[in-house]
Amino acid sequence: MSEYYWDQQMEYLRNTRWLYYNDDYLEFLVQRVWKIEEAVHMIDYGCGYGYMGLKLLPLLPAGSRYTGVDQGKELIKHAKELYAHTSYQAEFIEGDIETVQIERVYDIALSHAFLLHMSDPRKILKKMIGSVVDGGRVICFEPHWIANMASYTLDDVEQSNIVQLGILQKLYEHDARLSGKDGNIGMKIPTLLSQLGVKGVECRVSDRVNFLDQQMNEPNKHTLYNALKEEGLGAVPGNRIEVIDQLIGRGLTSDEANSQYEAEERFARGFNEHMYMTYAPNMKITSGIVTR
């Protein structure tokens, strides 16, 4: 079994990606925003099991092709098995994206929830730009965690009791300074792409708002609730002393760490399958044209 972390997260990836977008919105982006009218060859950085290819290929002009790159041996194996049952033209490259050599032959370079895990996202963006032909496009679907955290509503629960945005922002910024890995990268990519010479940069936000409705049928409600739990909503924070020590180590004061632990604990206690909840992931979708 692979020791690569994301090789162990297959079920999480498969069970939560659908929370982010409605298919008609992706179709709108392809046809009305990006105006892709001819077959394209796209490369997906950090492709996982090829999720974005499976979402976009049905929407792209006939003859479009997909290349996925990922370090995960099991993820690539699973992707090949999935695509073997389709008619799509697809290939996969197993390797470390920071070191693997990519030719400049692609019409589109894209990433999905990948750059936030990179210690030097600017370096990866340069690589993405370098793999695209003149006039090609870079597309990044990346998160903005603080907007995500502001987008829960639990029925009869005050948001400030379960989500403390100021403390969370402090944590995210500290972690980004320390490791370079930035959960708020989605909001920064427009600036980074423009600084790297990409033209016509624009940014959209994902459209899906998930509604845990007590009037929906039980199977659908159960599926949505489980997906939200896997996404981390209402997660039990763990041993109080250990978690608070970790939070202090991440830059919080003792009072802030205790307050954050208690907020997470209240969220975990309060969130269950029998309550109303709305949740919008707020993924940022940035695109621009490479001109040389």
PDB file of all heavy atoms in Angstrom, residues 34 48 66 86 89 109 129 134 149 161 182 185 188 206 251:
ATOM      1  N   TRP A  34     -15.606  30.664 -20.550  1.00  0.00           N
ATOM      2  CA  TRP A  34     -14.342  30.351 -21.213  1.00  0.00           C
ATOM      3  C   TRP A  34     -14.500  30.214 -22.723  1.00  0.00           C
ATOM      4  O   TRP A  34     -13.522  30.268 -23.452  1.00  0.00           O
ATOM      5  CB  TRP A  34     -13.745  29.075 -20.611  1.00  0.00           C
ATOM      6  CG  TRP A  34     -13.568  29.169 -19.133  1.00  0.00           C
ATOM      7  CD1 TRP A  34     -13.243  30.270 -18.411  1.00  0.00           C
ATOM      8  CD2 TRP A  34     -13.717  28.102 -18.182  1.00  0.00           C
ATOM      9  NE1 TRP A  34     -13.164  29.969 -17.068  1.00  0.00           N
ATOM     10  CE2 TRP A  34     -13.457  28.642 -16.889  1.00  0.00           C
ATOM     11  CE3 TRP A  34     -14.031  26.744 -18.280  1.00  0.00           C
ATOM     12  CZ2 TRP A  34     -13.519  27.881 -15.737  1.00  0.00           C
ATOM     13  CZ3 TRP A  34     -14.098  25.983 -17.131  1.00  0.00           C
ATOM     14  CH2 TRP A  34     -13.845  26.539 -15.866  1.00  0.00           C
ATOM     15  N   GLY A  48      -5.584  13.513  -8.748  1.00  0.00           N
ATOM     16  CA  GLY A  48      -6.277  12.514  -7.930  1.00  0.00           C
ATOM     17  C   GLY A  48      -6.760  11.361  -8.787  1.00  0.00           C
ATOM     18  O   GLY A  48      -6.007  10.791  -9.567  1.00  0.00           O
ATOM     19  N   TYR A  66      -7.582  14.443 -22.107  1.00  0.00           N
ATOM     20  CA  TYR A  66      -7.274  14.735 -20.703  1.00  0.00           C
ATOM     21  C   TYR A  66      -6.002  14.009 -20.290  1.00  0.00           C
ATOM     22  O   TYR A  66      -5.836  12.804 -20.551  1.00  0.00           O
ATOM     23  CB  TYR A  66      -8.437  14.258 -19.834  1.00  0.00           C
ATOM     24  CG  TYR A  66      -8.235  14.378 -18.336  1.00  0.00           C
ATOM     25  CD1 TYR A  66      -8.381  15.600 -17.687  1.00  0.00           C
ATOM     26  CD2 TYR A  66      -7.928  13.258 -17.567  1.00  0.00           C
ATOM     27  CE1 TYR A  66      -8.230  15.711 -16.314  1.00  0.00           C
ATOM     28  CE2 TYR A  66      -7.776  13.348 -16.190  1.00  0.00           C
ATOM     29  CZ  TYR A  66      -7.927  14.586 -15.576  1.00  0.00           C
ATOM     30  OH  TYR A  66      -7.772  14.679 -14.215  1.00  0.00           O
ATOM     31  N   THR A  86     -14.842   4.397 -20.000  1.00  0.00           N
ATOM     32  CA  THR A  86     -15.394   5.528 -20.749  1.00  0.00           C
ATOM     33  C   THR A  86     -14.800   5.528 -22.157  1.00  0.00           C
ATOM     34  O   THR A  86     -13.885   4.758 -22.472  1.00  0.00           O
ATOM     35  CB  THR A  86     -15.058   6.873 -20.077  1.00  0.00           C
ATOM     36  OG1 THR A  86     -13.668   7.182 -20.293  1.00  0.00           O
ATOM     37  CG2 THR A  86     -15.338   6.833 -18.581  1.00  0.00           C
ATOM     38  N   GLN A  89     -10.505  10.127 -24.295  1.00  0.00           N
ATOM     39  CA  GLN A  89      -9.069   9.992 -24.514  1.00  0.00           C
ATOM     40  C   GLN A  89      -8.348  10.552 -23.289  1.00  0.00           C
ATOM     41  O   GLN A  89      -8.402  11.765 -23.036  1.00  0.00           O
ATOM     42  CB  GLN A  89      -8.651  10.770 -25.765  1.00  0.00           C
ATOM     43  CG  GLN A  89      -9.306  10.297 -27.049  1.00  0.00           C
ATOM     44  CD  GLN A  89      -8.820  11.098 -28.242  1.00  0.00           C
ATOM     45  OE1 GLN A  89      -7.627  11.080 -28.576  1.00  0.00           O
ATOM     46  NE2 GLN A  89      -9.737  11.811 -28.882  1.00  0.00           N
ATOM     47  N   ALA A 109      -4.236  24.140 -18.680  1.00  0.00           N
ATOM     48  CA  ALA A 109      -3.643  23.568 -17.469  1.00  0.00           C
ATOM     49  C   ALA A 109      -4.571  23.911 -16.320  1.00  0.00           C
ATOM     50  O   ALA A 109      -4.954  25.075 -16.160  1.00  0.00           O
ATOM     51  CB  ALA A 109      -2.252  24.129 -17.220  1.00  0.00           C
ATOM     52  N   ILE A 129       1.721  27.391 -16.235  1.00  0.00           N
ATOM     53  CA  ILE A 129       1.797  28.343 -17.341  1.00  0.00           C
ATOM     54  C   ILE A 129       2.754  27.837 -18.412  1.00  0.00           C
ATOM     55  O   ILE A 129       2.467  27.915 -19.613  1.00  0.00           O
ATOM     56  CB  ILE A 129       2.240  29.722 -16.818  1.00  0.00           C
ATOM     57  CG1 ILE A 129       1.151  30.322 -15.922  1.00  0.00           C
ATOM     58  CG2 ILE A 129       2.577  30.671 -17.968  1.00  0.00           C
ATOM     59  CD1 ILE A 129       1.617  31.521 -15.108  1.00  0.00           C
ATOM     60  N   ASP A 134       0.838  28.912 -26.501  1.00  0.00           N
ATOM     61  CA  ASP A 134       0.495  30.319 -26.603  1.00  0.00           C
ATOM     62  C   ASP A 134      -0.987  30.463 -26.929  1.00  0.00           C
ATOM     63  O   ASP A 134      -1.505  29.826 -27.855  1.00  0.00           O
ATOM     64  CB  ASP A 134       1.334  30.976 -27.706  1.00  0.00           C
ATOM     65  CG  ASP A 134       1.258  32.495 -27.655  1.00  0.00           C
ATOM     66  OD1 ASP A 134       1.140  33.036 -26.542  1.00  0.00           O
ATOM     67  OD2 ASP A 134       1.307  33.121 -28.724  1.00  0.00           O
ATOM     68  N   MET A 149     -15.722  29.012   5.880  1.00  0.00           N
ATOM     69  CA  MET A 149     -16.129  28.928   7.279  1.00  0.00           C
ATOM     70  C   MET A 149     -17.241  29.917   7.623  1.00  0.00           C
ATOM     71  O   MET A 149     -17.981  29.724   8.581  1.00  0.00           O
ATOM     72  CB  MET A 149     -14.921  29.174   8.192  1.00  0.00           C
ATOM     73  CG  MET A 149     -13.835  28.108   8.079  1.00  0.00           C
ATOM     74  SD  MET A 149     -14.429  26.427   8.424  1.00  0.00           S
ATOM     75  CE  MET A 149     -14.868  26.574  10.150  1.00  0.00           C
ATOM     76  N   ASN A 161     -21.128  31.297  17.801  1.00  0.00           N
ATOM     77  CA  ASN A 161     -20.915  30.305  18.851  1.00  0.00           C
ATOM     78  C   ASN A 161     -20.191  29.060  18.351  1.00  0.00           C
ATOM     79  O   ASN A 161     -19.645  28.299  19.153  1.00  0.00           O
ATOM     80  CB  ASN A 161     -22.252  29.884  19.468  1.00  0.00           C
ATOM     81  CG  ASN A 161     -22.800  30.930  20.409  1.00  0.00           C
ATOM     82  OD1 ASN A 161     -22.041  31.689  21.009  1.00  0.00           O
ATOM     83  ND2 ASN A 161     -24.119  30.983  20.539  1.00  0.00           N
ATOM     84  N   ASP A 182      -1.388  27.291   1.882  1.00  0.00           N
ATOM     85  CA  ASP A 182      -2.340  28.350   2.199  1.00  0.00           C
ATOM     86  C   ASP A 182      -3.760  27.940   1.824  1.00  0.00           C
ATOM     87  O   ASP A 182      -4.112  27.851   0.656  1.00  0.00           O
ATOM     88  CB  ASP A 182      -1.942  29.614   1.431  1.00  0.00           C
ATOM     89  CG  ASP A 182      -2.736  30.835   1.846  1.00  0.00           C
ATOM     90  OD1 ASP A 182      -3.702  30.684   2.621  1.00  0.00           O
ATOM     91  OD2 ASP A 182      -2.374  31.940   1.400  1.00  0.00           O
ATOM     92  N   ILE A 185      -5.676  30.239  -0.566  1.00  0.00           N
ATOM     93  CA  ILE A 185      -4.986  30.502  -1.827  1.00  0.00           C
ATOM     94  C   ILE A 185      -5.944  30.875  -2.952  1.00  0.00           C
ATOM     95  O   ILE A 185      -5.587  31.635  -3.856  1.00  0.00           O
ATOM     96  CB  ILE A 185      -4.130  29.276  -2.238  1.00  0.00           C
ATOM     97  CG1 ILE A 185      -3.219  29.599  -3.423  1.00  0.00           C
ATOM     98  CG2 ILE A 185      -5.011  28.069  -2.551  1.00  0.00           C
ATOM     99  CD1 ILE A 185      -2.124  30.571  -3.098  1.00  0.00           C
ATOM    100  N   LYS A 188      -6.132  34.417  -3.748  1.00  0.00           N
ATOM    101  CA  LYS A 188      -4.861  35.050  -4.085  1.00  0.00           C
ATOM    102  C   LYS A 188      -4.390  34.708  -5.501  1.00  0.00           C
ATOM    103  O   LYS A 188      -3.512  35.390  -6.042  1.00  0.00           O
ATOM    104  CB  LYS A 188      -3.800  34.632  -3.060  1.00  0.00           C
ATOM    105  CG  LYS A 188      -4.179  35.028  -1.639  1.00  0.00           C
ATOM    106  CD  LYS A 188      -3.209  34.502  -0.611  1.00  0.00           C
ATOM    107  CE  LYS A 188      -3.661  34.870   0.805  1.00  0.00           C
ATOM    108  NZ  LYS A 188      -2.753  34.336   1.846  1.00  0.00           N
ATOM    109  N   SER A 206     -17.743  29.135  -6.808  1.00  0.00           N
ATOM    110  CA  SER A 206     -18.577  27.952  -7.034  1.00  0.00           C
ATOM    111  C   SER A 206     -20.022  28.244  -6.643  1.00  0.00           C
ATOM    112  O   SER A 206     -20.298  29.050  -5.759  1.00  0.00           O
ATOM    113  CB  SER A 206     -18.042  26.756  -6.236  1.00  0.00           C
ATOM    114  OG  SER A 206     -18.025  27.036  -4.850  1.00  0.00           O
ATOM    115  N   GLY A 251       0.050  29.595  17.080  1.00  0.00           N
ATOM    116  CA  GLY A 251       0.031  31.041  17.176  1.00  0.00           C
ATOM    117  C   GLY A 251      -1.078  31.656  17.995  1.00  0.00           C
ATOM    118  O   GLY A 251      -1.145  32.887  18.118  1.00  0.00           O
TER     119      GLY A 251
END
